[in-house]
């Protein structure tokens, strides 16, 4: 008499009701996630510049693609604008994390750099002051970045790097390589960080290419191998139009099996005016 009665088996109708509730909940979560992804993608694309500055003898082009999975959106960005003294500024970077928060943080970096670069001529100062501003905001995110300043007359290129992947270059006379510029910590980690400036002259016709790590690194594809592949590609196509070269570099990212988004920025330069 003390035996417990076995639990009543659920009816087919009850099972169907439970399944319907679980399905509805899963659908709502998927729709919410998809909405966040779409919002991040819209923010990303709206914040990227519609066009990059160029000058006679200087071609520029940039490309961006979201991750293959469609989930990792919002981290990478590029920018290009004319400075008050006529020099050209370019930047490329990668925010830690993805989704809406990363896209918004990317927008803060881009706006801060533009504002600071209008009053600071030294790239290291631009990056350093941007870093201090982001640290003061206290968002908890950080970003890698390379900022360059290019004089269109003398073709002097000054660059500062905040934990970002190296750039690739090639010239029409057969030289090519990967930059080894000294840099500082990524943006948003530590206030007062120093960012050394590297100066080079683009005397011979060629290309200077900035990328994010999604272009040169993947789950089983080391970054050195990726940089080597892009270097060989830029060397082989150094005479191509800037847009064609940017497309080719972005296609090369497919071999990495990357899960991240990817961005490319190309500065294609001819000979310095007055030099042959």
């Amino acid at each position: 008499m003390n035996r417990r009665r076995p639990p009543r088996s659920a009816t087919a109708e009850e099972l169907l009701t439970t399944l319907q509730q679980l399905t509805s909940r899963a659908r709502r979560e998927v729709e919410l996630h998809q909405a966040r992804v779409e919002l991040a993608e819209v923010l990303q694309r709206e914040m990227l510049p519609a066009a990059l500055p160029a000058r006679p003898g200087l071609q520029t082009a940039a490309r961006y693609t979201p991750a293959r999975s469609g989930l990792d959106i919002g981290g990478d960005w590029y920018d290009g604008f004319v400075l008050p003294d006529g020099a050209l500024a370019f930047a490329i970077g990668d925010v830690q994390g993805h989704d809406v928060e990363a896209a918004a943080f990317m927008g803060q970096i881009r706006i801060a750099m533009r504002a600071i670069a209008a009053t600071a001529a030294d790239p290291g100062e631009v990056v350093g002051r941007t870093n201090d501003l982001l640290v003061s905001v206290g968002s908890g995110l950080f970003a890698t970045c390379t900022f360059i300043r290019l004089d269109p007359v003398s073709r002097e290129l000054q660059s500062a790097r905040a934990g970002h992947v190296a750039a690739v270059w090639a010239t029409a006379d057969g030289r090519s390589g990967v930059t080894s510029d000294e840099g500082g910590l990524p943006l948003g980690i530590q206030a007062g960080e120093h960012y050394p400036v590297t100066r080079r002259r683009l005397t011979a016709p060629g290309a200077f290419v900035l990328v994010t790590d999604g272009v040169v690194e993947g789950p089983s594809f080391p970054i050195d191998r990726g940089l080597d592949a892009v270097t060989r590609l830029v060397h082989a196509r150094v005479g191509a139009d800037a847009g064609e070269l940017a497309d080719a570099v972005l296609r090369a990212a497919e071999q990495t099996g990357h899960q991240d988004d990817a961005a490319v920025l190309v500065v294609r330069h001819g000979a310095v005016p007055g030099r042959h």
Side-chain angles (χ1 to χ4, degrees):
M1 293 180 62
N2 292 329
R3 291 177 57 190
R4 306 180 72 177
R5 297 179 61 184
R8 179 178 65 86
S9 299
T11 66
E13 182 178 354
E14 290 172 332
L15 288 174
L16 287 174
T17 299
T18 300
L19 179 60
Q20 184 179 27
Q21 292 172 343
L22 292 173
T23 301
S24 296
R25 183 188 305 170
R27 184 182 297 113
R28 288 194 300 271
E29 292 177 353
V30 168
E31 290 174 349
L32 176 60
H33 181 73
Q34 184 60 32
R36 289 177 61 85
V37 169
E38 292 176 358
L39 175 58
E41 186 169 12
V42 169
L43 285 171
Q44 175 98 11
R45 295 198 179 278
E46 288 299 318
M47 289 179 185
L48 295 178
L52 296 175
R55 290 291 183 271
L58 290 171
Q59 289 185 343
T60 57
R63 299 291 186 267
Y64 165 79
T65 183
R68 292 179 184 177
S69 64
L71 300 179
D72 293 338
I73 296 172
D76 289 11
W77 93 94
Y78 60 83
D79 200 4
F81 51 96
V82 180
L83 295 168
D85 63 357
L88 307 181
F90 299 97
I92 194 167
D94 185 359
V95 176
Q96 167 232 6
H98 301 91
D99 210 340
V100 180
E101 291 78 8
F105 191 64
M106 176 268 289
Q108 291 178 322
I109 297 173
R110 183 169 173 250
I111 293 170
M113 277 198 157
R114 281 188 172 234
I116 294 170
T119 59
D122 182 76
E125 183 181 352
V126 173
V127 177
R129 288 172 57 183
T130 301
N131 172 67
D132 291 345
L133 179 60
L134 296 174
V135 171
S136 71
V137 171
S139 70
L141 296 176
F142 65 86
T144 66
C145 173
T146 293
F147 179 87
I148 67 175
R149 172 190 174 90
L150 175 60
D151 185 321
V153 177
S154 68
R155 300 290 173 82
E156 182 183 56
L157 186 150
Q158 303 175 27
S159 62
R161 188 164 65 98
H164 197 69
V165 61
V168 169
W169 61 272
T171 56
D173 58 10
R175 295 174 294 136
S176 61
V178 176
T179 61
S180 56
D181 304 353
E182 186 180 357
L185 291 173
L187 304 176
I189 293 180
Q190 176 178 292
E193 181 71 2
H194 174 64
Y195 296 94
V197 176
T198 300
R199 292 172 172 82
R200 51 176 57 86
R201 290 257 296 177
L202 306 180
T203 54
F208 193 81
V209 181
L210 300 169
V211 300
T212 56
D213 57 6
V215 178
V216 293
E217 187 177 29
S220 57
F221 199 91
I223 192 168
D224 290 344
R225 183 179 170 191
L227 284 170
D228 181 64
V230 171
T231 302
R232 285 186 278 107
L233 187 153
V234 175
H235 178 271
R237 298 181 179 232
V238 69
D241 173 86
E244 294 175 3
L245 183 55
D247 288 333
V249 173
L250 194 59
R251 285 195 300 271
E254 296 300 317
Q255 66 184 313
T256 67
H258 69 89
Q259 302 298 317
D260 201 356
D261 45 356
V264 178
L265 194 156
V266 172
V267 177
R268 174 77 175 80
H269 50 92
V272 174
R275 296 183 59 133
H276 301 283

